Amino acid sequence: DTAVSQTPKYLVTQMGNDKSIKCEQNLGHDTMYWYKQDSKKFLKIMFSYNNKELIINETVPNRFSPKSPDKAHLNLHINSLELGDSAVYFCASSQGFGPRVYYYEQYFGPGTRLTVT
Amino acid sequence: GQQVMQIPQYQHVQEGEDFTTYCNSSTTLSNIQWYKQRPGGHPVFLIQLVKSGEVKKQKRLTFQFGEAKKNSSLHITATQTTDVGTYFCAGPPVEYGNKLVFGAGTILRVKS
């Protein structure tokens, strides 16, 4: 049973297009995240949701819009894709909420490798 | 802004040699977590340290959290080819503990 799943695994698209990545977790966790990992492997948080409520919104261009229809799903929509958006995007989830959430391990999905040409 | 640095960026060792990666934060961390990412894979949680000066072991892996809760280390004894991957430390800053800040990672390659 996959704990955190993402689709698609690979996404190749042209500049200017709009695309979405979907994430689902079956762990019953309250908090979900989107991370971006660049070509140098640097992992940076983009968004965090707790029970469908946006908690963290890092300095991400507003072309990126997360949406959480329920606490098991967190999707990421990207408008007007740019070359610099090419990266691996990881969804993650963890138990807990509030300041204590970071005392819980995060479970990462397999990642979506986005290539913008 | 708060930064978490990791050194070295890259290490290539002979199988059987030891390996250490160091993690240094510019601010005090509430706790520190370590993750391992195999090539082509996703980060997987290894361990968490919470107390100042804490030391934990997992078989050949030894993790330490500094007294000031600003640095940490991961030491692998007698590396094996299965240890290959990128090791990340991550922690929430005490001042604004609303996110995990990840270090840049240390890439470990093991020659057999």
Side-chain angles (χ1 to χ4, degrees):
Chain A
D1 284 343
T2 305
V4 182
S5 58
Q6 288 178 235
T7 54
K9 190 165 174 62
Y10 299 96
L11 190 49
V12 181
T13 189
Q14 292 185 327
M15 279 196 304
N17 285 348
D18 303 339
K19 290 291 177 187
S20 291
I21 307 171
K22 295 189 174 184
C23 177
E24 177 181 359
Q25 54 97 2
N26 63 6
L27 297 166
H29 288 166
D30 288 313
T31 305
M32 295 184 73
Y33 314 82
W34 277 111
Y35 285 89
K36 179 181 180 181
Q37 186 171 49
D38 62 24
S39 57
K40 295 185 179 178
K41 292 263 186 201
F42 188 64
L43 261 174
K44 191 168 192 312
I45 190 160
M46 301 172 69
F47 301 103
S48 161
Y49 267 76
N50 175 258
N51 202 11
K52 302 194 296 176
E53 182 185 342
L54 181 65
I55 303 298
I56 292 174
N57 184 351
E58 287 292 286
T59 48
V60 176
N62 53 19
R63 297 182 295 104
F64 290 79
S65 51
K67 189 164 283 189
S68 182
D70 56 62
K71 75 172 198 176
H73 295 85
L74 180 61
N75 303 324
L76 183 65
H77 187 77
I78 316 170
N79 288 327
S80 304
L81 279 155
E82 299 178 358
L83 292 177
D85 297 332
S86 295
V88 180
Y89 292 85
F90 286 103
C91 175
S93 72
S94 70
Q95 289 179 300
F97 55 91
R100 300 289 300 176
V101 70
Y102 298 101
Y103 286 87
Y104 295 95
E105 65 182 275
Q106 294 191 7
Y107 291 77
F108 284 78
T112 296
R113 182 173 293 277
L114 171 65
T115 304
V116 182
T117 61
Chain B
Q2 198 268 344
Q3 288 189 348
V4 176
M5 313 291 289
Q6 266 187 267
I7 54 170
Q9 286 184 318
Y10 180 85
Q11 186 139 22
H12 202 165
V13 300
Q14 191 71 40
E15 190 174 20
E17 290 181 341
D18 292 355
F19 160 77
T20 304
T21 173
Y22 299 92
C23 178
N24 295 291
S25 169
S26 57
T27 60
T28 305
L29 301 172
S30 300
N31 54 288
I32 194 129
Q33 297 182 351
W34 284 91
Y35 290 80
K36 177 183 177 181
Q37 183 177 17
R38 293 181 186 274
H42 57 276
V44 174
F45 176 83
L46 292 176
I47 207 160
Q48 173 172 264
L49 303 166
V50 179
K51 297 177 186 174
S52 169
E54 190 170 10
V55 178
K56 286 190 177 179
K57 292 191 175 187
Q58 284 181 349
K59 296 183 181 178
R60 295 177 296 104
L61 278 61
T62 302
F63 303 84
Q64 292 188 330
F65 198 13
E67 294 290 340
K69 301 182 79 171
K70 285 188 173 183
N71 54 68
S72 181
S73 64
L74 157 59
H75 179 81
I76 303 178
T77 304
T79 53
Q80 300 176 356
T81 54
T82 52
D83 295 325
V84 161
T86 303
Y87 291 86
F88 294 97
C89 62
V94 166
E95 299 132 43
Y96 53 96
N98 66 344
K99 62 182 178 184
L100 271 185
V101 178
F102 277 78
T106 295
I107 299 171
L108 173 64
R109 292 289 178 258
V110 180
K111 290 182 287 189
S112 59

